[in-house]
Structure formats: C-alpha cells, structure tokens
Amino acid sequence: AYKWVRKAGGVNIADEVQIGFGRVGTHFWGFETQNVMPDIVTLGKPIGNGFPLGAVITTRAIAETFAGGMEYFNTFGGNPVSCAAGMAVLDILRDEQLQDNAHRVGEFLIKELKAIQQECLFLADVRGMGLFLGLEFVTDPEKRIPDAARAGYLVERMKEEGILLSTDGPDHNVVKFKPPLVFSKENADLFLNILTAVLKEEVFGPDGF
C-alpha cells in the first residue's frame, strides 16, 4: 500500500493512536512491524496515559508546506505541563519494561485464546499482536457469516463481570481487547477464566462450545 500511494504522489499516514508506544510488543511502533516508513505519524491517548495529549510527527518538507500563507496554530501546543506528562509516560514505559510485558502476556493470551477457538464453534479467528487482540465471531464456521449479535452479547456480559471489551470491524463481529500495558499474567488468567465461562452460556450453545 505504501508503495502504490507514493507512486501516485500521495503521503502515507500511520495512525499509532491505539497501537503505538509498545502495545504490539515486538516493536515500539505498529508501522515498524510492516517494515515501512510513514510520512506522517499521529499519536494520541497513550502518549499522556489519560492526560489530554496528542502529537503529529512528520518530515520537515511536509511541515514547511504549512507556511504557505494559511495560518496554523495549536492554542496549547507544546505547553510545559503536557510535555512533562508525556515525558513521564515515556519514562514509565522504559523503566517498567511495559513493551516487553505486552509481548510476553500477549503471546500467552494468543496461545490460550487459540486453544479456546478450537472448542468454540462460533469463534472463527484469533488475531493481533501484543496486547491488541481481536476475536472474530461468525454464525456459520464454514460460510464465515459475521455474527454481531454474539459479539455484542459477549462484550456486555464481560462488562458485567468487570472486563471491558468492544466490538469493531465493518460488521461489528470482532471483539477487540486492548488492556492497559501493565496487564499481567495473573490478569490474563482471570480474563481467560471469565471468557471461557461466558462462552459456555446458553447463547453460545448447546453446540457452540
């Protein structure tokens, strides 16, 4: 995709708002897993760990195009409080080795979730990297018909049990799991136990699990 966009004269934008800052485990930035170099990178949410902070990173050549007569500014751009919050987050990511934690716990989760997939008729796919995972639900494992109803049911039931998930994808049948980077092996065990119990409920059976 990057090659064809550049060939057409376009620019490539990497959205790292959800997957950046080590969440994918193997790399600090998601685009690095694809061996590409974007022209623009957008950052948000994780950079401030809840503090309202965002950033755009680009090349000098692209940045200089904003000096063409149109006034561009950020009211609070570069204020020292925001900068201190962002630097503190980077320090914690490094000092507590949260990227490595995402990698280790993520690999454990994927292995266990794929084992659950072998038993759950309606769980068609387990995918993702690190602590950014997706569970795809279908009504028919052969025809792979999207099942938004079961995905939505799972999200609501897990919320009742104290675990936050969300649905995603064009058919809303993919359950997305992106816990905090401090998510531990013990947290993962609890998540898997509750998930297994919910998947055994009547809406997924009697032949679903």
Side-chain angles (χ1 to χ4, degrees), residues 122 135-140 144-156 166-175 203-204:
F122 303 108
L135 310 175
E136 182 180 357
F137 286 88
V138 297
T139 59
D140 186 312
R144 296 182 69 89
I145 300 171
D147 193 342
R150 283 192 175 91
Y153 176 86
L154 179 66
V155 169
E156 291 303 314
S166 60
T167 55
D168 209 335
D171 297 300
H172 306 289
N173 68 312
V174 178
V175 174
V203 69
F204 291 98

Side-chain angles (χ1 to χ4, degrees), residues 65-201:
T65 64
F66 282 88
M70 179 184 70
E71 184 180 9
Y72 175 81
F73 69 95
N74 291 99
T75 304
F76 300 109
N79 75 79
V81 176
S82 295
C83 292
M87 291 301 293
V89 169
L90 291 175
D91 288 342
I92 292 296
L93 286 171
R94 177 197 62 207
D95 297 344
E96 298 187 9
Q97 300 179 321
L98 296 186
Q99 178 180 333
D100 181 60
N101 182 69
H103 182 54
R104 286 185 291 103
V105 178
E107 285 200 326
F108 169 74
L109 277 169
I110 291 174
K111 176 185 175 184
E112 296 299 316
L113 288 169
K114 285 187 176 296
I116 293 174
Q117 180 190 355
Q118 297 304 310
E119 299 184 60
C120 184
L121 181 66
F122 303 108
L123 180 52
D125 193 23
V126 174
R127 55 182 178 265
M129 299 180 68
L131 291 178
F132 193 81
L133 306 175
L135 310 175
E136 182 180 357
F137 286 88
V138 297
T139 59
D140 186 312
E142 297 297 327
K143 298 179 180 179
R144 296 182 69 89
I145 300 171
D147 193 342
R150 283 192 175 91
Y153 176 86
L154 179 66
V155 169
E156 291 303 314
R157 279 292 293 117
M158 294 295 281
K159 183 168 66 174
E160 291 173 1
E161 299 294 333
I163 295 175
L164 297 179
L165 305 172
S166 60
T167 55
D168 209 335
D171 297 300
H172 306 289
N173 68 312
V174 178
V175 174
K176 185 163 60 174
F177 184 45
K178 46 182 184 3
L181 295 191
V182 294
F183 199 75
S184 66
K185 166 72 164 47
E186 292 70 27
N187 297 146
D189 285 330
L190 176 63
F191 164 72
L192 291 165
N193 288 336
I194 296 175
L195 176 70
T196 301
V198 172
L199 288 175
K200 289 182 177 179
E201 293 179 357

